[in-house]
Amino acid sequence: MILRRFFIYFVICLFFSQTARAQLVIEVTSGADQLLPIAVVPFGYTGVNRLPEDIAQIVEDDLSRSGLFKAIPRSNMLSMPSKEADVFYRDWRLLKSDYVVIGNIQKLQNNQYRIGFELLNVLTQKPVQKHSSIDVSAANFRDAAHYISDKVYELLTGTRGAFSTRILYVTAEGDKKAPLFKLQVADADGHRPRVVVESKEPILSPSWSMDGRNIAYVMFRNRRPNIFIQELATGKRQQIAQFRGLNGAPSWSPDGKKLALVLSKDNNPEIYTLDIATQKLERMTNHYAIDTEPSWEPDGKGIVFTSDRGGNPQIYRLDVNSKRVERVTFEGELNTRARMTPDGRYLVTVQKDDGNYHIALQDMKTGRVQILTETYLDESPSIAPNGSMVMYATTYQGKGILAVVSVDGLVKYKLPSADGDVREPSWSPYFK
């Protein structure tokens, strides 16, 4: 019964006790000890009096949010060049900046803009990224800025950036006794939120398909949970599971052809897989305990899930072919809501210890476990597609918020809403 309460009633009660709005803001709380100094110079522009967005500010915010970079304040800049010929490297050495990002924006026809940018190494006085440009509309300035951030991040860290990705999350607003639930999609920094679906009953467990085109989620109807697949671009929705009892926790397979889900149609919560094309359902577990919260391994060969078959909820691994089950977690009073990093090296869980719920990271090779968070009621971890960050829901100053922590535990930031409660985050894959 512990697991059943955690999986269903705990989340629902949290929603009914809070209110929320969609807009998220960034509050960086800690970063790595050694930050890389970088200057993002305001971009120059021609052919227009006013720009739709401050590209350089968005890039600076992205890089600062990663916790790996220290931005040089604009007020300290001795010059603001927009092309390399105008750069005096001596000025940037005086400011102790290792790198400089410069750019320019040109207005084209049909409300199009050409955005050029360069990344310069102050020490070598040479470009790291030579002049590159992209053409975008006014509505896509933020997309262009995130694209530039991704390029800079990858050039300087060797890891692909995730600033151009998106997040799903659920809010509740209005009357506390009868809130309106909204599933929303936004940029990874919380900007440009858009309502995907809304309901007077709870929405849970949003999950991205690996191509980012479709999502799956649980939505209650007449107090009964049902699973839906929805195409983001069109809003077209398909109900795929409405069996008697529990229909929950959908998780997309890496190839996008199947969903792992939890059904109790045979009187006990078990893990099933559903072939989306053929609608063929296959039962994967068969145990008197409660099996729930499935999540696919990156190679699709296994599914990790939560089960109380050992007494308290812990994480188990299911071999998809043989259906053999083995226990994975052993530390902590309980472990739930497992997710694996894209390289398969680490397992992220919600671990309870001394009465508190924290986000934990387990090395699958060594078995070493590291507690990543210091808050006391953390849940629903979701990992960035580059494996560097974990987004999760937590409580701050009496409100439900989203927060992010790096997999090494050094970088932390919060994404509180302007007002109220936000839950159930899901980080998108890369959009190819």
Side-chain angles (χ1 to χ4, degrees), residues 185-232:
V185 62
D187 291 0
D189 60 4
H191 284 266
R192 298 189 293 185
R194 176 172 65 89
V195 176
V196 175
V197 64
E198 60 182 50
S199 173
K200 293 182 179 180
E201 296 190 69
I203 302 170
L204 303 171
S205 306
S207 174
W208 292 87
S209 64
M210 292 308 294
D211 60 7
R213 296 179 180 178
N214 298 286
I215 59 173
Y217 54 89
V218 176
M219 184 167 65
F220 279 66
R221 283 186 169 180
N222 298 320
R223 298 182 179 273
R224 293 184 57 191
N226 301 277
I227 299 176
F228 293 85
I229 290 179
Q230 184 164 329
E231 187 177 17
L232 275 178

Side-chain angles (χ1 to χ4, degrees), residues 135-296:
D135 293 351
V136 298
S137 67
N140 293 323
F141 260 50
R142 294 197 71 89
D143 295 310
H146 293 320
Y147 170 83
I148 295 170
S149 301
D150 285 337
K151 289 295 183 182
V152 172
Y153 184 90
E154 185 171 8
L155 286 166
L156 298 183
T157 69
T159 301
R160 185 177 179 182
F163 304 112
S164 297
T165 56
R166 312 199 79 189
I167 56 173
L168 287 167
Y169 55 92
V170 180
T171 62
E173 59 185 56
D175 187 271
K176 294 181 180 180
K177 295 183 179 179
L180 180 65
F181 298 93
K182 295 182 179 181
L183 176 59
Q184 311 210 38
V185 62
D187 291 0
D189 60 4
H191 284 266
R192 298 189 293 185
R194 176 172 65 89
V195 176
V196 175
V197 64
E198 60 182 50
S199 173
K200 293 182 179 180
E201 296 190 69
I203 302 170
L204 303 171
S205 306
S207 174
W208 292 87
S209 64
M210 292 308 294
D211 60 7
R213 296 179 180 178
N214 298 286
I215 59 173
Y217 54 89
V218 176
M219 184 167 65
F220 279 66
R221 283 186 169 180
N222 298 320
R223 298 182 179 273
R224 293 184 57 191
N226 301 277
I227 299 176
F228 293 85
I229 290 179
Q230 184 164 329
E231 187 177 17
L232 275 178
T234 65
K236 183 180 179 181
R237 185 171 64 189
Q238 175 188 4
Q239 186 169 348
I240 62 165
Q242 50 181 337
F243 297 101
R244 178 183 62 85
L246 177 65
N247 303 275
S251 175
W252 293 86
S253 63
D255 62 8
K257 296 180 179 180
K258 293 183 178 181
L259 280 177
L261 39 85
V262 178
L263 303 175
S264 64
K265 65 184 186 68
D266 297 319
N267 299 319
N268 194 62
E270 303 284 357
I271 307 298
Y272 290 77
T273 59
L274 175 71
D275 187 296
I276 297 172
T278 65
Q279 294 294 294
K280 179 182 177 182
L281 197 65
E282 182 178 2
R283 184 168 177 171
M284 304 301 291
T285 62
N286 192 348
H287 198 278
Y288 61 82
I290 296 174
D291 297 335
T292 187
E293 299 178 335
S295 179
W296 294 81

Side-chain angles (χ1 to χ4, degrees), residues 315-348:
I315 305 303
Y316 292 77
R317 180 188 182 274
L318 166 73
D319 185 282
V320 172
N321 291 326
S322 68
K323 297 184 181 179
R324 180 175 177 269
V325 172
E326 61 180 339
R327 183 169 168 175
V328 176
T329 59
F330 295 88
E331 293 192 23
E333 298 173 29
L334 61 83
N335 284 272
T336 63
R337 202 65 178 264
R339 298 291 185 268
M340 296 200 76
T341 54
D343 61 2
R345 175 67 186 271
Y346 298 101
L347 182 77
V348 175

Side-chain angles (χ1 to χ4, degrees), residues 47-162:
V48 62
N49 294 325
R50 185 177 180 182
L51 296 173
E53 296 273 2
D54 187 337
I55 294 281
Q57 187 63 60
I58 298 171
V59 174
E60 179 182 314
D61 291 343
D62 282 345
L63 297 177
S64 297
R65 191 172 73 252
S66 74
L68 302 178
F69 297 90
K70 178 182 178 181
I72 303 299
R74 292 183 178 183
S75 58
N76 292 351
M77 295 181 182
L78 302 178
S79 59
M80 293 189 178
S82 59
K83 57 181 184 294
E84 187 188 6
D86 296 333
V87 173
F88 293 96
Y89 287 100
R90 175 193 60 220
D91 294 346
W92 304 105
R93 286 199 301 271
L94 289 173
L95 295 175
K96 298 182 179 180
S97 179
D98 290 352
Y99 295 92
V100 180
V101 178
I102 59 174
N104 56 80
I105 303 170
Q106 179 185 359
K107 179 69 180 297
L108 305 175
Q109 295 180 347
N110 300 321
N111 200 34
Q112 293 290 305
Y113 296 80
R114 179 160 296 160
I115 302 174
F117 65 97
E118 294 179 84
L119 174 62
L120 308 175
N121 187 319
V122 175
L123 299 180
T124 65
Q125 300 187 29
K126 294 180 179 179
V128 178
Q129 164 73 51
K130 293 186 177 181
H131 186 274
S132 180
S133 65
I134 51 176
D135 293 351
V136 298
S137 67
N140 293 323
F141 260 50
R142 294 197 71 89
D143 295 310
H146 293 320
Y147 170 83
I148 295 170
S149 301
D150 285 337
K151 289 295 183 182
V152 172
Y153 184 90
E154 185 171 8
L155 286 166
L156 298 183
T157 69
T159 301
R160 185 177 179 182

Side-chain angles (χ1 to χ4, degrees), residues 374-391:
E374 300 172 353
T375 40
Y376 67 95
L377 198 59
D378 305 331
E379 57 171 308
S380 306
S382 182
I383 304 172
N386 62 5
S388 66
M389 295 282 191
V390 179
M391 182 175 291

